[in-house]
């Protein structure tokens, strides 16, 4: 028998390549209501740990609600009242050239970054209804006593521990 095959029979693959034994993160919650169709546009490939996934899972529904509401020509009152901090209301940038015929909806959400238990950011790409024009934005969400809210257009900056 070839020496490599013998070695594989004697040593479990885990000892040779530990990454082969890691379990993929459970992202089944992206298939659940509410916002099931919007959640299909989420790319969590940047999330590596169970802790970060748990934070995303806790924040996903308010973030999806925000992403759906932000593309409307007239912002629903709940967008500003329930889904944004005071600072977020002041700095929110809306899609260019929005009207009832020309509006942008979220096409993808990627580059998720979690900082602790109370902050996360993501990059969102929006497209017009014909998918000819695209607009990209970064969103930072923070957890408040009232839930997850949009706070800023930037990537989360994690504080390093001393």
């Amino acid at each position: 028998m070839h020496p490599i095959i013998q070695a594989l029979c004697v040593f479990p693959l885990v000892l040779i390549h530990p990454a082969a034994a890691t379990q993929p993160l459970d992202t089944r919650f992206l298939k659940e209501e509410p916002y099931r169709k919007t959640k299909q546009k989420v790319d969590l490939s940047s999330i590596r740990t169970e802790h970060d996934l748990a934070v995303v899972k806790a924040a996903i529904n308010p973030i999806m609600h925000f992403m759906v509401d932000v593309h409307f020509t007239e912002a629903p009152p709940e967008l500003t009242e329930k889904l944004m901090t005071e600072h977020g209301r002041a700095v929110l940038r809306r899609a260019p050239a929005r009207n009832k015929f020309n509006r942008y909806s979220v096409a993808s959400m990627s580059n998720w970054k979690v900082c602790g238990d109370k902050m996360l950011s993501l990059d969102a790409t929006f497209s017009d209804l014909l998918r000819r024009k695209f607009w990209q934005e970064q969103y930072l969400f923070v957890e408040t006593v009232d839930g997850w809210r949009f706070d800023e257009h930037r990537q989360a900056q994690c504080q390093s521990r001393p």
Side-chain angles (χ1 to χ4, degrees), residues 71-73 94-104 127-129 133 135:
H71 83 272
F72 286 113
T73 304
R94 302 289 302 272
R98 295 176 350 269
N99 60 47
K100 65 182 178 182
F101 302 110
N102 182 15
R103 66 178 191 205
Y104 287 70
S127 69
D128 66 356
L129 296 176
K133 297 177 186 174
W135 168 60

Side-chain angles (χ1 to χ4, degrees), residues 20 42 54 67-68 81 83 92 97 103 107 118-119 128 158 160:
V42 170
M67 290 297 175
V68 168
E81 294 169 10
L83 299 172
L92 178 66
R103 66 178 191 205
K118 307 237 179 244
M119 183 187 304
D128 66 356
C158 302
S160 60

